[in-house]
């Protein structure tokens, strides 16, 4: 077994072999059916650091052709959610629509179904015969806001609506959820809230920010603030301005648009819109790290030790060691949603292979996965 100190030792020495922190049974399952977890990850030689991996992915990663079918569903408050489907009707492995496994994909902050990492995930899933549906957060899927409400990492009501909708459409089809960055936070918070009633066979997260306060502190370091923080805050403000007429009834839009960091944006917009007393209260509620013991679904979580959005000291190593349903896979390098390898890393990368192998393992061997990740009742108390 890997203890806490050996994990830190691996971080310090930047081992090219990922560190896998999980129960013995979950480890056996993953090594047998998802062998990429034990393969060395060698980042692109000219793209070694976490910041560079994060930046270059946006500039260089290819955008595979994906044809979506869009569906708008209504919410209890009168709003609407945009879902982008790839039905994969020509699936040879699963020709029957009613039983075809479905992968639900949650993009990151300001992301949607057109992000390169989403397109590559869809390709991985469809080539294996699965159906995909991308959950676009309100206001970011090209749809209009019908109510003055968007989204936050702590509010799982829209995700609950989407899961229920998909399950009602295909009650006999297994459903797996995967979330990237903020989408992963949302998925983990949903799994913690719903427990055994989550309706998913498994969950996969990539580049999650486990402790929102620690992530903000990392992004407010001078270099990260200049490269990442201001850009993300600007994208968020653009989205608010795009829906200005609807949102100015509940927030001071002009004040929001002056935000220059994510924390300032959340102080002026997110925490106000969702009724938190302070931004600190929102960040504590949004952080998924301490909620892991309330989850029951098998979860594989990929993080890089050099992720500028999610510092390695905030990774839930101790929890992953004692929870039978959680596996934490940590690479020495990879940045935030980077994981670029090869000299010209435009195509499939480490993160994409992990996604493809894990979803296939979960769908092909559900009994083995459930048995490996069974939770004793006392862990839920």
């Amino acid at each position: 077994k890997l203890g806490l100190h050996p994990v830190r030792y691996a971080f310090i020495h930047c081992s090219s072999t990922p560190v896998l922190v999980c129960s013995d049974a979950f480890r056996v399952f993953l090594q047998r059916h998802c062998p990429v977890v034990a393969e060395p990850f060698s980042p692109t030689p000219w793209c070694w650091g976490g910041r560079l991996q994060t930046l270059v992915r946006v500039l260089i990663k290819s955008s595979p052709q994906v044809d979506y079918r869009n569906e708008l569903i209504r919410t209890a408050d009168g709003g609407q959610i945009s879902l982008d489907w790839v039905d994969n009707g020509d699936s040879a492995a699963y020709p029957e629509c009613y039983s075809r496994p479905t992968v639900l994909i949650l993009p990151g902050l300001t992301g949607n179904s057109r992000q390169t990492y989403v397109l590559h995930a869809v390709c991985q899933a469809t080539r294996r015969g699965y159906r995909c549906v991308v959950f676009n957060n309100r206001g970011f899927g090209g749809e209009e806001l019908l109510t003055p409400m968007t989204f936050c990492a702590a509010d799982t009501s829209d995700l609950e609506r989407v899961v229920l909708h998909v399950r009602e459409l295909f009650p006999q089809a297994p459903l797996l959820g995967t979330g990237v960055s903020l989408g992963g936070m949302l998925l983990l918070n949903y799994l913690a809230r719903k427990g055994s009633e989550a309706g998913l066979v498994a969950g996969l997260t990539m580049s999650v920010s486990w402790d929102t306060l620690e992530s903000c502190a990392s992004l407010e370091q001078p270099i990260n603030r200049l490269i990442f923080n201001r850009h993300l805050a600007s994208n968020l403000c653009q989205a608010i301005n795009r829906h200005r007429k609807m949102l100015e009834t509940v927030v001071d839009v002009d004040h929001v648009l002056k935000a220059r960091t994510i924390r300032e944006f959340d102080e002026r917009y997110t925490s106000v819109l969702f009724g938190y007393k302070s931004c600190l209260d929102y960040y504590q509620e949004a952080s998924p790290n301490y909620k892991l013991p309330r989850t029951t679904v098998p979860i594989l979580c990929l993080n890089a030790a050099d992720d500028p959005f999610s510092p390695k000291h905030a990774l839930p190593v101790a929890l992953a060691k004692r929870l039978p349903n959680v596996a934490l896979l940590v690479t020495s390098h990879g940045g935030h949603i980077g994981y670029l390898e090869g000299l010209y890393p435009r195509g499939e990368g480490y993160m994409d292979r992990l996604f493809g192998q894990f979803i296939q393992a979960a769908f092909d061997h559900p009994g083995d996965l459930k048995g490996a990740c069974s939770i004793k009742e006392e862990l839920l108390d």
Side-chain angles (χ1 to χ4, degrees), residues 87-89 94-102 131 169-170 172-173:
D87 298 299
N88 208 8
Y94 299 95
E96 299 294 339
C97 179
Y98 71 90
S99 59
R100 186 176 304 138
T102 305
R131 174 173 42 231
L169 288 176
F170 306 105
Q172 297 184 53

Side-chain angles (χ1 to χ4, degrees), residues 208-220 229 308-311 314:
V208 158
S209 294
W210 291 95
D211 186 316
T212 313
L213 279 172
E214 294 291 344
S215 292
C216 263
S218 178
L219 286 172
E220 287 168 356
N229 208 332
F309 288 60
S310 185

Side-chain angles (χ1 to χ4, degrees), residues 253-330:
V253 172
D254 289 330
H255 184 53
V256 171
L257 296 182
K258 294 177 183 178
R260 294 296 177 265
T261 66
I262 295 175
R263 190 193 298 262
E264 288 180 355
F265 178 86
D266 287 332
E267 286 173 345
R268 302 174 185 190
Y269 177 77
T270 313
S271 58
V272 174
L273 187 68
F274 286 88
Y276 290 96
K277 294 180 180 179
S278 67
C279 187
L280 175 61
D281 289 335
Y282 165 52
Y283 282 172
Q284 290 176 335
E285 179 65 19
S287 299
N289 52 357
Y290 68 94
K291 303 175 187 176
L292 277 177
R294 302 206 296 264
T295 65
T296 63
V297 169
I299 313 166
L300 175 61
C301 306
L302 173 67
N303 282 90
D306 63 357
D307 186 344
F309 288 60
S310 185
K312 62 178 180 287
H313 64 263
L315 299 178
V317 175
L319 277 176
K321 285 171 58 181
R322 70 179 182 88
L323 295 175
N325 66 308
V326 177
L328 180 62
L329 183 67
V330 185

Side-chain angles (χ1 to χ4, degrees), residues 1-15 19-22 27 305 312 315-318 321 328 330 332:
K1 290 184 179 180
L2 289 175
L4 183 59
H5 296 302
V7 170
R8 289 177 175 171
Y9 180 88
F11 290 162
I12 293 171
H13 286 72
C14 299
S15 172
V19 176
L20 180 60
V21 185
C22 61
R27 182 188 307 277
K312 62 178 180 287
L315 299 178
V317 175
K321 285 171 58 181
L328 180 62
V330 185
S332 296

Side-chain angles (χ1 to χ4, degrees), residues 22 24 30 66 72 79 83 107 142 144 164 168 196 200 216 227 232 260 273-274 277 281 307 317 352 363 367:
C22 61
D24 290 341
L30 290 172
V66 173
L72 296 176
L83 301 178
E144 292 298 319
L164 180 63
E168 287 178 343
S196 59
L200 304 179
C216 263
I227 298 176
L232 287 172
R260 294 296 177 265
L273 187 68
F274 286 88
K277 294 180 180 179
D281 289 335
D307 186 344
V317 175
D352 308 312
F363 287 140

